[in-house]
Amino acid sequence: MGYALSVFNTCIHDHNVFNYNVIIAGLIDHKLATQAFQYFLEMRLIEFIMPDHFTFPCVIKACLDVVEVKKIHGLLFKFGLELDLYVGSALVNCYLKFGFVEDAEEVFDGMSVRDVVLWNAMINGFSQIGQFDKVLEVFGRMKDQGVVPSRFTITGILPVVGMKEGIDNGRALHGFVLKMGYDSCVAVSNSLIDLYGKCKCVDDAIGIFETMHEKDIFSWNSVICVHEQRGDHYGTLKFFRRMVFAGMQPDLVTVTTTLPACAHLAALRIGSKIHGYIITTGLGKCKDGKGHDLHIDNAIMYMYAKCGSLGVARLVFDKMSYKDTASWNIMITGYGMQGLGNEVLNTLSSMCEAQMKPNDATFVGILSACSHGGLLTQGRMFLDQMHQIYGIVPTIEHYSCVIDMLGRAGQLEEAYKILTTMPVEDNPVIWRAFLAACRLHGNADLAEVAANMIFKLEPLHCGSYVLISNVYGAEGRYEDVSEIRHTMREHNVKKIPGCSWIELKNGVHVFVTGDRTHAEDYHIYAALHHLTSRLRDYKYIA
């Protein structure tokens, strides 16, 4: 762009409207809006050069506020371009970008002819400002007037349909895409992946991805996000590895989506490599080049904390130039998961000294730490102080931590009292935590009370049946065990198989009970049988 400007400025006597249009458009493409607007003003001072219908759309894009847009809009009447479709589309898009809906609609309604580009400006403009009902309304009007949607219409409408109208309308649009041959467009296929992901139709999203002849960074990010939104962390990492092997360079969206998957699977090796990639490529730096992106730093710290590498998490935390409440919460939760109660309390003290106010998530971490660390006195104190000192009303998450804390310590009567008096609605998760504590300490009477409450709240959850069955089994009440199993069969409640995973050099390997899908399953079971026979030899297994 610099060379083009140099040539333009040295040929000042040969300037015409075409030269100015090329320079203004080039500056817009390079996101140099202020310079583009300056060249437009210079152009206006030259008597024999008149802006045309190519000049104004570019200049409108260069406007930094709505006052400039309105001035340009006024000029259009002077040059007789107020009804030009290209200019009108640019005006509609710009007015909507600044949130001036009435002005955009006035321009749109005032156009004597409306082509698909103008309709797209309305659809994409409303989509960008989050007015999704308006998007659907305009799309409906467009169809009623017999205007055939283009690829750009489809990429504008598909995300909205996924959020507002559901899978049936999404599939209908998919059919239209196939009929028109728009599926060959990468952007359209990416939007379809996003649509099916939002509608939780993961197989459809993957099917589209796998049939794409060309994939860009948005294609990979879309299919990775689909897996992470579904909670399929293993699938997230699998597609991330495929992306890297395909030679595609991860971007900011990729790493911020993949790091949480590493955290959930404790995939420290992959997470560390992503951290190294962020450092070497500078992805973690702010746009101005000063400091690091807070969101990225928090994601990295969360990954290390969840993987148990609290020392590295602390190094990242200490190097952060700015910390928000989430940053402090990550460290508090990390220490709490490792049972380091004193570290949690010290971090909370430092947080308050830094004049950072704790929020409800902070106290979930603190109370969880008190539970894992056996700090009953401190846990009771923090529950009382939440509302009195910090103005935070305890929620079901906070009471769950306290019930778990008391249950672990065997304080079942106190836990039951809190359960029956807490000012929040009964929740199956908190009663299940209490049931687990009853099983741990062999209190069958309270276990029955808890189980009956859970069956009312969540009759089809297998965990509750398994827990109460184990309580009865430990007491030798085998008839009750049989009755529980009979009830499970009657209600078609099936026990979810156990799942585990291990991270090795070539990635994360996931195993389900009785799994035979792993490529090395023959060798794995052979080793297990050999280990079992050796254990029998040494009388460890009957």
Side-chain angles (χ1 to χ4, degrees):
M1 193 66 222
Y3 180 73
L5 286 172
S6 176
V7 172
F8 178 83
N9 290 328
T10 55
C11 302
I12 192 165
H13 298 295
D14 299 323
H15 286 174
N16 55 41
V17 67
F18 176 78
N19 299 142
Y20 271 102
N21 287 349
V22 169
I23 287 297
I24 292 170
L27 289 168
I28 293 297
D29 288 341
H30 285 78
K31 303 188 186 310
L32 300 171
T34 303
Q35 281 183 258
F37 207 80
Q38 288 172 352
Y39 273 95
F40 171 70
L41 295 176
E42 176 186 303
M43 177 186 184
R44 291 278 296 116
L45 295 174
I46 303 174
E47 187 176 347
F48 62 88
I49 298 180
M50 306 290 285
D52 59 15
H53 63 287
F54 292 111
T55 314
F56 281 106
C58 293
V59 174
I60 289 167
K61 286 183 182 178
C63 293
L64 299 176
D65 58 52
V66 77
V67 175
E68 290 179 347
V69 181
K70 287 184 178 292
K71 287 180 181 177
I72 299 297
H73 193 178
L75 274 177
L76 294 175
F77 292 92
K78 178 179 178 180
F79 292 98
L81 294 171
E82 70 276 8
L83 296 180
D84 184 88
L85 281 171
Y86 290 109
V87 178
S89 298
L91 268 176
V92 165
N93 191 279
C94 202
Y95 273 132
L96 287 175
K97 181 179 73 173
F98 291 117
F100 283 73
V101 173
E102 290 182 3
D103 295 273
E105 290 179 331
E106 185 179 337
V107 172
F108 180 82
D109 293 335
M111 303 298 288
S112 55
V113 178
R114 302 187 187 101
D115 65 355
V116 69
V117 177
L118 185 62
W119 286 99
N120 289 348
M122 288 288 280
I123 288 170
N124 289 296
F126 279 123
S127 181
Q128 287 168 5
I129 63 174
Q131 293 201 20
F132 303 127
D133 291 327
K134 278 283 191 181
V135 172
L136 298 173
E137 178 193 319
V138 173
F139 184 61
R141 286 170 60 192
M142 179 182 179
K143 290 192 297 181
D144 291 342
Q145 294 191 20
V147 180
V148 179
S150 69
R151 292 178 302 173
F152 299 104
T153 319
I154 298 300
T155 54
I157 197 70
L158 276 173
V160 181
V161 169
M163 285 185 288
K164 299 289 290 185
E165 294 204 329
I167 190 61
D168 291 337
N169 287 315
R171 290 193 192 281
L173 271 175
H174 189 182
F176 175 79
V177 166
L178 295 174
K179 179 182 176 182
M180 300 296 293
Y182 293 159
D183 55 317
S184 60
C185 173
V186 176
V188 172
S189 293
N190 291 345
S191 295
L192 283 169
I193 293 171
D194 183 62
L195 162 80
Y196 283 119
K198 283 186 171 71
C199 295
K200 297 180 172 55
C201 299
V202 178
D203 291 338
D204 295 275
I206 295 171
I208 292 168
F209 177 82
E210 299 294 3
T211 56
M212 291 173 68
H213 298 296
E214 181 187 349
K215 302 177 180 74
D216 60 11
I217 184 65
F218 301 105
S219 314
W220 288 100
N221 284 345
S222 294
V223 78
I224 288 171
C225 286
V226 164
H227 284 85
E228 191 58 21
Q229 287 165 0
R230 185 194 185 191
D232 181 6
H233 310 300
Y234 176 70
T236 301
L237 295 187
K238 182 178 75 172
F239 274 89
F240 173 73
R241 285 173 60 81
R242 280 182 59 185
M243 174 184 176
V244 173
F245 288 139
M248 187 68 67
Q249 292 292 316
D251 65 1
L252 203 60
V253 175
T254 319
V255 297
T256 51
T257 306
T258 309
L259 280 171
C262 295
H264 283 95
L265 292 177
L268 180 59
R269 190 189 302 271
I270 299 174
S272 299
K273 287 182 179 178
I274 293 173
H275 185 195
Y277 175 81
I278 290 170
I279 293 171
T280 54
T281 58
L283 274 180
K285 292 184 178 178
C286 295
K287 290 181 180 179
D288 59 4
K290 299 176 182 178
H292 287 78
D293 185 276
L294 178 64
H295 183 60
I296 288 284
D297 281 346
N298 282 346
I300 293 168
M301 185 168 53
Y302 177 73
M303 182 274 296
Y304 280 119
K306 286 281 285 184
C307 291
S309 294
L310 288 172
V312 183
R314 185 74 199 199
L315 283 174
V316 175
F317 179 80
D318 290 338
K319 286 183 178 180
M320 291 170 67
S321 55
Y322 172 75
K323 306 174 183 71
D324 64 357
T325 304
S327 312
W328 291 94
N329 289 350
I330 290 166
M331 286 309 305
I332 287 171
T333 303
Y335 285 131
M337 286 189 299
Q338 299 295 321
L340 302 174
N342 290 328
E343 290 292 341
V344 169
L345 299 181
N346 291 335
T347 305
L348 175 64
S349 177
S350 300
M351 180 181 183
C352 294
E353 286 176 9
Q355 296 185 338
M356 192 67 67
K357 187 178 179 182
N359 60 13
D360 55 344
T362 313
F363 281 99
V364 170
I366 292 168
L367 292 171
S368 178
C370 293
S371 174
H372 287 88
L375 305 175
L376 270 69
T377 303
Q378 292 90 332
R380 294 186 186 101
M381 178 188 72
F382 282 120
L383 182 66
D384 292 336
Q385 288 182 349
M386 279 181 63
H387 188 254
Q388 296 173 3
I389 297 178
Y390 298 97
I392 299 170
V393 178
T395 64
I396 194 70
E397 287 82 8
H398 301 107
Y399 283 111
S400 294
C401 292
V402 173
I403 297 302
D404 184 61
M405 175 187 74
L406 296 170
R408 286 169 183 264
Q411 305 294 316
L412 299 179
E413 295 293 341
E414 184 181 352
Y416 180 69
K417 183 179 179 182
I418 291 176
L419 266 171
T420 53
T421 58
M422 61 183 184
V424 293
E425 288 187 14
D426 286 319
N427 180 285
V429 175
I430 193 170
W431 277 100
R432 199 173 295 115
F434 180 64
L435 176 56
C438 293
R439 181 214 167 192
L440 177 67
H441 296 285
N443 191 323
D445 294 336
L446 285 177
E448 284 185 348
V449 173
N452 289 330
M453 178 61 75
I454 296 168
F455 295 152
K456 289 178 184 177
L457 296 170
E458 198 174 25
L460 300 180
H461 193 283
C462 67
S464 313
Y465 291 94
V466 172
L467 283 170
I468 191 64
S469 177
N470 290 339
V471 172
Y472 291 149
E475 293 206 336
R477 295 166 57 178
Y478 300 113
E479 288 185 6
D480 292 324
V481 172
S482 298
E483 188 178 335
I484 288 292
R485 290 178 179 173
H486 176 68
T487 305
M488 289 178 71
R489 285 192 294 270
E490 276 189 333
H491 290 86
N492 197 30
V493 177
K494 296 180 180 179
K495 184 179 181 298
I496 299 172
C499 177
S500 60
W501 55 85
I502 184 171
E503 183 185 17
L504 298 174
K505 288 182 179 179
N506 59 342
V508 177
H509 299 262
V510 177
F511 299 94
V512 179
T513 303
D515 196 353
R516 282 285 185 179
T517 60
H518 195 277
E520 302 290 331
D521 72 301
Y522 175 81
H523 300 288
I524 292 168
Y525 279 99
L528 279 173
H529 292 320
H530 176 70
L531 180 62
T532 303
S533 64
R534 293 296 301 273
L535 288 169
R536 283 199 180 96
D537 291 343
Y538 286 95
K539 311 295 184 186
Y540 283 108
I541 297 178

